[in-house]
Amino acid sequence: MKYDCIVIGGGVVGAAVLDRLAAYNLKVLLLEKEDDVASFTTRANSGIVHAGYDCEPGTLKARFNVRGNELIWRDARELNVPHLKCGSIVVARKEQLEKLRELQDRAVVNGVETRILDRDQTLKIEPNVADEIEYSLYAPSAGIVSPYQLAIAYADRAILKGGEILLEAEVKAVSRKNGTYFVETSKGVFESAIVVNCAGAYGARVNDMAGAEHFETVYRRGDYFVLDNTERKNVNTVIFPLPTAAGKGILVAPTADGNVIYGPTAVDSANPDDTATTPDSLDVLRKNVPLSYKRPAFNKCIRVYGGLRTLIGHDFVVGESKVLDNFFMAIGICSPGLTSAPAIAEYIEALIVERTKATVKQSGIVAPPRRKRLAEISEDELDALIAKDSAWGRIVCRCEKVTEAEIVEAIYSPLPATTVDAVKRRTRAGMGRCQGGFCGPKVMEIIARELGIPLDQVRKGGGATIARYAVKEVE
Amino acid sequence: MRNMDFDVAVIGGGPAGMAAALAARKQGATVVILERDSRLGGILNQCIHQGFGLHYFGEEMTGPEYADRFRKMVEKEDIAVMLESMALALGEDKTVTALSPSLGLCKIKARSVVLAMGCRERTAGAIALAGSRPAGIYTAGMAQKICNIDGYLVGKDVVILGSGDIGLIMARRMTTEGANVKLVLELAPYSSGLKRNIVQCLDDYGIPLKYSHTVTRVEGYPRLTGLYYAPVGEDKKPILSEERFISCDTLLLSVGLIPENDLLNGLGVNISPVTQGAVVDENRMTSMEGVFSCGNVLHVHDLVDNVSQEAEIAGAAAARYALDGGVCKGDFVNVVARDGVRYALPQRISRGEGKLRLFFRVGDVYKNCRLIVQSGENTLVSKKFMVLAPGEMGSADIDISLVDGDVVVRLEK
Ligand SMILES: Cc1cc2nc3c(=O)[nH]c(=O)nc-3n(C[C@H](O)[C@H](O)[C@H](O)COP(=O)(O)OP(=O)(O)OC[C@H]3O[C@@H](n4cnc5c(N)ncnc54)[C@H](O)[C@@H]3O)c2cc1C
Ligand SMILES: Cc1cc2nc3c(=O)[nH]c(=O)nc-3n(C[C@H](O)[C@H](O)[C@H](O)COP(=O)(O)OP(=O)(O)OC[C@H]3O[C@@H](n4cnc5c(N)ncnc54)[C@H](O)[C@@H]3O)c2cc1C
């Protein structure tokens, strides 16, 4: 099959690129090795829309962060992705004021609005900073977004515009003959004039496969605690410590879905698949969170997780390969990669449009499915929905109050959710305090029914099934 | 939006909800049961083992059989049962908002409310289990449901963390279905389950149970391939130098149950930090007038017979409150747990006449000890126990007329 452009990798970067390219008269395909988009780093990060004050001036990071911060709010709004421009503060003790000033100087160069607040002003915004905190650097343009829902929404909209996504299609080799790329995957060979490498942790490997520039990659894992949504009332903004060479440090932040997170740590790793949390790393969080936040509630933890940063040198690698033409790269996209994704996509779009002279399709504007949560639906609207489809009245996930109708809708999305985890990322069924203990079997049943498969073929995500061996006879 | 009106609204149709509804109806109140599931019975529907009803019905039966007895009694009475109906909110005026596929959104005006929502299980997340996040790690109750209701085993090489009753029952269930239950690990130096379950579910099958041990991290993706475990010190922290690996494809968690009181969020109802259920008086009325609580949503029970009895108290009182407003006699004293007693319930009682049964749990295993219940100068109970364990709820009857100030429930060596 022949395409104009193939995107490798369905993280937030690849999905954003596909969404933009699908608006043109181009035949575009995204290849993703996992069984859903947003299955790797995009599903395990802090979900912060960074303001952009701390990036080294002049880097791609600074440029795309600041531009991304402008674009991401509009995208999130258009795509109905949970988000909140809640602002962020970097907190400092008395003797650290000078460091805050340095940070503010960077903000000025990067064109980011910030203010230094004293303790009283800080407390007005964030009453629960630690007692030792005397100053903070407030950035009103920062906020939070659901990272996986953003990537999923880009993917859905791309498909509605005519883009294609193939899941469980791992790219194994890339070759080129007479100006055409042959992309070999576990699901066959695809031809394309252009390739965009957005393969995240495997970005450097895909470059090697194709014979593009070789890069050394460093991996750095970060672990988190997720807190019960009853903690949300205690945190208003994103609370950072002062950044260090290792990164932005351990933050306390609300999530766009109404929980709170503590994290991440920074643990070097040699393994591009390493997302397993470790007891030591979780202990680092237990020790450090109280330094900036005075109401840590580790006993309200509902989940721990780890995500992997992929670093190539000190900056993002974005642009066309110098050794392979029509081979574009958006790799080494570590933090602030989520924030930057819409800007990176905009940049890649411009390069490819310029190269192909593609024109915008004349189809109407497409909006992805509106995923309304029960709490957002008015009483009258809900009654009308139930009258049409009684599944709107059947709550499946009791912690997050997700109805059967929402689960069915997720299964029939433009990019269908076919696993328990995929349904969870789209609907939140199983993300609450019981972690699917009650609704897991029910979600499995609905997936089995809608896909017409037996229960023992329903997968959690990552390929593994849950119900495995039929009981001889159920009494 | 549909409006309804009942004297008593019972939220939850497990054994607690059914017994409360029956008792309320007996007093002449109009009653509705709201049940989220498509049938009554609650957690009993998935407990297909024997061991229910010995005290209440004087015969041993399975969970579904016990539930069925009550279901039939409910069906005979003039009790409204709304299935697939989830209570979403409880208002300060005791209006219950519920959602159901057949009736849509309902507002139920009730003069009194009985909470009977049961409990949920603590999860891998709640204990911050470190490692990969693969398929193969489930709460014991979820595995029980997939096994007993859906007919599938979740794995074949099993380790169980925690010695709660559901975990013990599942150890036996999975073994008899051909799985290899390799090990049960318990953080505490004692079990949180019933003694009889340790004997009948582990000992009889030769399944080893290691006390003072915990899982340190899990390994494998997308499926669990094994885990590390270690003994814990006095501080409950794992001794990592003694960490060991065991391969398995399944880890079941039976690490505690938590009363499901989400509905009370924001209502300012007094919640006990120990039971995580409401603080109640002898009628099982919470600090919110006209709102009663019983069963596992009040405190976690090990025997369903106790659940039924407790629910009858709550249901009858809820009806009396709805019909003539008068159940709280006032003149309360507190019931205080001390010296080894983790909690005693009800937490408040009013002075007066008659007998009252106090329920309690201890915080450790105690041998040859004496339970003392005292009020002012009066000793209401002094009862010798060969052994008291955290897994078994105890009870003691007191004569209310002897109550003279706060009632202290404690242990003596
Ligand atoms: C701990 C942590 C915290 C972070 N916090 C923030 C934050 O708060 N704000 C922010 O802006 N950024 C943050 N980031 C950065 C942000 O998460 C990443 O920059 C972003 O998710 C990267 O997206 P991606 O699409 O490049 O990578 P990924 O999401 O990893 O996507 C790459 C995809 O490519 C697929 N793939 C790989 N190889 C192949 C192949 N051979 N064939 C087919 N598919 C393949 C993978 O399966 C994967 O789905 C954080 C990162 C980490 C790790
Ligand atoms: C595995 C296991 C083994 C046991 N073994 C024994 C034994 O051998 N012998 C014994 O005597 N006891 C045993 N027990 C204990 C006993 O069965 C329980 O304590 C008892 O079932 C608790 O009853 P309940 O009605 O409080 O809660 P549940 O049975 O949990 O019922 C609560 C009901 O409320 C519903 N609900 C919750 N929230 C809402 C809402 N918002 N709106 C509407 N409905 C809602 C739920 O769907 C559920 O049906 C066992 C328990 C378990 C879990």
Side-chain angles (χ1 to χ4, degrees):
Chain A
M1 243 167 303
K2 213 169 152 78
Y3 290 86
D4 295 313
C5 182
I6 285 180
V7 178
I8 302 174
V12 67
V13 176
V17 168
L18 186 76
D19 175 46
R20 283 182 174 262
L21 296 181
Y24 295 86
N25 282 313
L26 292 171
K27 197 166 160 52
V28 288
L29 170 69
L30 184 149
L31 298 168
E32 167 55 53
K33 74 177 160 72
E34 301 298 327
D35 52 20
D36 192 10
V37 295
S39 289
F40 200 65
T41 299
T42 295
R43 82 159 177 210
N45 54 64
S46 310
I48 309 300
V49 177
H50 293 292
Y53 49 78
D54 63 328
C55 304
E56 200 181 314
T59 58
L60 292 177
K61 282 186 180 173
R63 165 179 171 179
F64 289 130
N65 184 344
V66 175
R67 176 66 181 149
N69 185 297
E70 287 166 19
L71 295 172
I72 202 165
W73 302 117
R74 186 202 64 196
D75 283 359
R77 209 168 36 244
E78 279 180 13
L79 293 163
N80 305 311
V81 171
H83 65 280
L84 183 70
K85 200 172 184 171
C86 55
S88 68
I89 54 174
V90 179
V91 296
R93 296 190 303 271
K94 203 174 192 113
E95 71 279 10
Q96 294 172 319
L97 179 60
E98 209 36 53
K99 289 257 163 56
L100 277 194
R101 292 234 161 86
E102 285 167 26
L103 214 48
Q104 193 175 33
D105 292 343
R106 270 196 180 187
V108 173
V109 181
N110 289 346
V112 178
E113 183 200 343
T114 58
R115 285 201 296 280
I116 290 188
L117 308 181
D118 64 19
R119 180 166 172 87
D120 285 345
Q121 291 165 319
T122 304
L123 288 177
K124 281 209 185 91
I125 300 179
E126 197 59 85
N128 291 317
V129 295
D131 291 340
E132 298 73 31
I133 299 306
E134 288 297 331
Y135 301 100
S136 70
L137 182 74
Y138 175 54
S141 63
I144 51 180
V145 67
S146 168
Y148 38 88
Q149 289 202 34
L150 182 64
I152 290 165
Y154 280 137
D156 275 343
R157 184 165 70 180
I159 291 174
L160 292 173
K161 287 192 279 202
E164 293 174 40
I165 295 181
L166 194 61
L167 299 174
E168 294 176 274
E170 177 175 358
V171 173
K172 306 205 154 163
V174 180
S175 55
R176 197 171 187 216
K177 230 183 273 157
N178 305 328
T180 299
Y181 285 102
F182 292 81
V183 182
E184 241 172 82
T185 77
S186 44
K187 282 196 172 165
V189 182
F190 301 88
E191 295 173 32
S192 178
I194 294 173
V195 167
V196 188
N197 174 7
C198 305
Y202 284 84
R205 287 201 193 176
V206 169
N207 254 31
D208 289 345
M209 283 178 201
E213 290 87 338
H214 174 77
F215 294 110
E216 293 301 324
T217 310
V218 171
Y219 303 108
R220 194 167 292 150
R221 205 190 67 244
D223 294 348
Y224 294 85
F225 282 87
V226 186
L227 289 297
D228 196 291
N229 58 23
T230 50
E231 284 301 302
R232 176 67 178 85
K233 61 180 182 302
N234 298 326
V235 186
N236 298 325
T237 57
V238 181
I239 310 172
F240 292 101
L242 276 163
T244 65
K248 296 181 185 24
I250 292 165
L251 57 82
V252 170
T255 70
D257 281 321
N259 295 86
V260 167
I261 50 172
Y262 303 158
T265 49
V267 185
D268 282 337
S269 174
N271 173 1
D273 298 312
D274 177 19
T275 58
T277 60
T278 58
D280 296 349
S281 168
L282 295 174
D283 274 340
V284 169
L285 295 178
R286 291 187 182 97
K287 279 200 201 90
N288 281 276
V289 169
L291 301 182
S292 52
Y293 177 64
K294 75 169 180 194
R295 290 185 78 152
F298 289 96
N299 60 340
K300 293 279 183 65
C301 172
I302 63 168
R303 179 86 167 156
V304 296
Y305 69 90
L308 196 69
R309 305 174 185 85
T310 299
L311 302 102
I312 296 177
H314 292 291
D315 205 357
F316 296 157
V317 178
V318 180
E320 189 173 5
S321 162
K322 296 214 167 55
V323 293
L324 270 184
D325 55 329
N326 287 336
F327 186 89
F328 296 86
M329 305 169 290
I331 58 177
I333 310 297
C334 52
S335 191
L338 167 65
T339 316
S340 305
I344 294 172
E346 181 187 53
Y347 181 76
I348 299 273
E349 170 194 8
L351 294 180
I352 290 177
V353 168
E354 160 76 34
R355 178 67 44 88
T356 58
K357 306 285 181 252
T359 52
V360 174
K361 272 190 263 193
Q362 286 307 312
S363 56
I365 192 81
V366 260
R370 172 90 181 103
R371 294 211 172 82
K372 259 196 189 177
R373 289 172 65 179
L374 197 63
E376 301 163 358
I377 302 178
S378 74
E379 293 183 348
D380 290 344
E381 199 183 339
L382 185 57
D383 273 331
L385 283 171
I386 295 170
K388 262 194 261 150
D389 177 4
S390 65
W392 277 102
R394 195 173 290 117
I395 302 237
V396 174
C397 167
R398 63 203 250 187
C399 303
E400 296 292 324
K401 311 233 171 13
V402 181
T403 65
E404 180 173 348
E406 293 162 88
I407 291 166
V408 171
E409 201 175 79
I411 297 171
Y412 292 102
S413 299
L415 180 68
T418 59
T419 68
V420 173
D421 283 352
V423 165
K424 171 168 114 174
R425 281 193 286 275
R426 284 162 182 78
T427 65
R428 293 191 57 72
M431 275 204 190
R433 56 178 73 92
C434 95
Q435 289 286 301
F438 284 115
C439 68
K442 188 75 202 166
V443 169
M444 288 163 63
E445 237 171 73
I446 296 170
I447 294 175
R449 182 188 75 204
E450 297 300 325
L451 300 184
I453 56 174
L455 202 69
D456 58 0
Q457 281 175 27
V458 175
R459 296 176 303 177
K460 175 182 180 288
T465 55
I466 297 168
R468 298 183 67 199
Y469 308 102
V471 169
K472 289 160 229 153
E473 51 189 306
V474 186
E475 284 108 299
Chain B
M1 165 85 63
R2 203 179 276 251
N3 288 299
M4 301 182 209
D5 198 310
F6 288 93
D7 291 328
V8 179
V10 178
I11 307 177
M18 290 193 285
L22 284 164
R25 183 70 202 116
K26 212 168 173 183
Q27 301 284 323
T30 58
V31 182
V32 63
I33 302 179
L34 294 168
E35 170 53 49
R36 200 176 52 87
D37 211 338
S38 53
R39 56 178 166 170
L40 294 173
I43 199 76
L44 292 183
N45 288 325
Q46 67 186 60
C47 300
I48 60 174
H49 57 282
Q50 293 281 335
F52 297 82
L54 207 50
H55 304 268
Y56 194 89
F57 290 114
E59 58 183 293
E60 204 175 27
M61 49 184 99
T62 66
E65 284 165 0
Y66 188 96
D68 224 41
R69 289 259 176 127
F70 272 90
R71 187 158 41 220
K72 292 212 171 91
M73 290 192 267
V74 168
E75 278 163 8
K76 269 206 217 104
E77 294 298 325
D78 187 11
I79 293 173
V81 177
M82 290 172 58
L83 297 175
E84 288 194 300
S85 299
M86 164 124 180
L88 294 176
L90 172 63
E92 282 182 31
D93 60 351
K94 294 187 296 253
T95 299
V96 182
T97 309
L99 185 63
S100 118
S102 51
L103 301 173
L105 206 54
C106 306
K107 281 245 175 347
I108 298 152
K109 221 179 118 211
R111 272 157 288 284
S112 59
V113 172
V114 180
L115 306 172
M117 290 93 73
C119 58
R120 66 169 189 274
E121 298 175 278
R122 285 182 79 211
T123 65
I127 59 169
L129 185 67
S132 54
R133 293 169 295 288
I137 303 175
Y138 312 104
T139 59
M142 173 166 168
Q144 185 181 47
K145 171 150 195 295
I146 292 175
C147 181
N148 294 348
I149 309 269
D150 300 322
Y152 291 94
L153 289 190
V154 292
K156 285 250 160 104
D157 286 301
V158 186
V159 172
I160 298 178
L161 176 61
S163 59
D165 287 316
I166 317 180
L168 300 176
I169 298 280
M170 279 310 285
R172 175 175 66 189
R173 182 82 180 107
M174 295 205 57
T175 305
T176 56
E177 284 304 332
N180 175 16
V181 179
K182 295 176 144 180
L183 186 60
V184 179
L185 301 165
E186 167 59 59
L187 181 71
Y190 50 80
S191 166
S192 54
L194 293 171
K195 177 81 186 146
R196 72 167 197 220
N197 282 339
I198 305 249
V199 174
Q200 293 170 7
C201 300
L202 300 186
D203 298 355
D204 287 1
Y205 295 87
I207 300 169
L209 164 59
K210 284 184 194 279
Y211 289 115
S212 301
H213 273 71
T214 194
V215 175
T216 48
R217 70 202 144 96
V218 298
E219 210 173 72
Y221 190 85
R223 183 172 300 291
L224 182 69
T225 52
L227 57 82
Y228 292 86
Y229 67 97
V232 297
E234 294 263 301
D235 57 357
K236 298 263 163 84
K237 290 244 162 72
I239 301 163
L240 290 177
S241 56
E242 291 175 45
E243 191 175 69
R244 285 220 248 157
F245 180 79
I246 183 167
S247 66
C248 58
D249 65 8
T250 305
L251 171 63
L252 297 188
L253 300 166
S254 186
V255 290
L257 300 169
I258 303 169
E260 185 76 288
N261 276 304
D262 305 13
L263 274 179
L264 298 182
N265 282 346
L267 285 174
V269 174
N270 277 349
I271 300 284
S272 155
V274 184
T275 60
Q276 301 200 52
V279 170
V280 293
D281 64 20
E282 71 273 24
N283 290 309
R284 305 302 185 269
M285 187 159 89
T286 67
S287 64
M288 185 170 165
E289 279 252 333
V291 176
F292 298 76
S293 178
C294 58
N296 280 354
V297 78
L298 178 58
H299 59 140
V300 175
H301 293 70
D302 27 73
L303 291 181
V304 72
D305 312 67
N306 289 331
V307 170
S308 301
Q309 276 161 6
E310 178 174 85
E312 284 167 356
I313 297 173
R320 274 181 277 133
Y321 181 91
L323 297 175
D324 62 24
V327 285
C328 59
K329 288 181 238 157
D331 198 9
F332 283 111
V333 298
N334 292 317
V335 178
V336 187
R338 218 178 258 169
D339 302 338
V341 179
R342 210 161 68 84
Y343 73 85
L345 191 141
Q347 293 94 341
R348 333 191 289 153
I349 53 180
S350 42
R351 292 175 207 255
E353 298 293 312
K355 287 228 179 292
L356 181 77
R357 180 162 293 180
L358 291 178
F359 294 89
F360 67 93
R361 266 184 209 275
V362 293
D364 203 340
V365 177
Y366 294 95
K367 296 210 166 112
N368 294 320
C369 56
R370 190 169 278 283
L371 179 83
I372 309 282
V373 182
Q374 234 166 348
S375 179
E377 300 286 286
N378 299 334
T379 299
L380 311 186
V381 178
S382 171
K383 193 167 156 190
K384 199 164 157 19
F385 286 89
M386 298 282 282
V387 58
L388 280 171
E392 335 238 336
M393 192 158 70
S395 69
D397 294 332
I398 61 167
D399 180 346
I400 304 175
S401 62
L402 294 177
V403 168
D404 180 22
D406 282 358
V407 175
V408 176
V409 184
R410 62 188 172 84
L411 288 186
E412 227 172 61
K413 281 274 156 189

